Amino acid sequence: AVVAASAVVVGGGRMFVFFEEHDENRLREGVIKQQGMHVCVYVSHWEAMYYRLRDQGMVWTNPRFRHIDTCDTPEEAYRFKQFRILKLFTSLWSSYQLEHEIRSPSHPSFSQPIPFTPMP
């Protein structure tokens, strides 16, 4: 059963909803449905953030998208105007990875409508 929930408006009519789920089967179902989900953020001090996260060993190229973009070097990240990190969240019940695309405001998708298909 859901025991607590919180929503954070992130702009563009989108929000993150966080909740605690103590039913192990429902939790597992939710994690499976969200495989491949990611967060995309645009930051103004993009280059400085790239170096700071790279120096912490957090910059990551998603192997599924290596044919589209890479960010193993500052030059590659600059060419694609984005880089990625993979954050691992853990709880008492499971672990979950959430990919973050961190984009420059000069990325072609900046201020474009975001297509969204709700999960069933």
Side-chain angles (χ1 to χ4, degrees), residues 2 17 25-26 33-34 66 74 85 96 100 103 106 114:
V2 174
V17 179
N25 291 327
R26 286 178 46 126
K33 285 181 182 178
Q34 295 178 39
R66 191 165 280 285
I85 64 171
Y96 181 73
H100 295 65
R103 292 181 175 172
S106 62
I114 303 169

Side-chain angles (χ1 to χ4, degrees), residues 1-5 19-22:
V2 174
V3 294
F19 61 90
E20 289 185 43
E21 174 63 73
H22 291 269

Side-chain angles (χ1 to χ4, degrees), residues 50-64:
Y50 175 86
Y51 285 108
R52 187 169 49 236
L53 292 171
R54 183 202 63 183
D55 292 348
Q56 294 176 30
M58 295 180 69
V59 171
W60 175 74
T61 294
N62 187 329
R64 292 185 309 150

Side-chain angles (χ1 to χ4, degrees), residues 13-75:
R14 305 290 189 265
M15 68 177 65
F16 292 148
V17 179
F18 301 92
F19 61 90
E20 289 185 43
E21 174 63 73
H22 291 269
D23 181 314
E24 191 172 324
N25 291 327
R26 286 178 46 126
L27 180 65
R28 190 176 296 112
E29 280 179 30
V31 169
I32 290 169
K33 285 181 182 178
Q34 295 178 39
Q35 294 299 319
M37 297 284 287
H38 68 279
V39 173
C40 178
V41 295
Y42 294 86
V43 295
S44 57
H45 299 288
W46 177 83
E47 189 172 349
M49 183 169 287
Y50 175 86
Y51 285 108
R52 187 169 49 236
L53 292 171
R54 183 202 63 183
D55 292 348
Q56 294 176 30
M58 295 180 69
V59 171
W60 175 74
T61 294
N62 187 329
R64 292 185 309 150
F65 301 118
R66 191 165 280 285
H67 65 286
I68 297 172
D69 68 74
T70 57
C71 56
D72 299 323
T73 66
E75 294 78 20

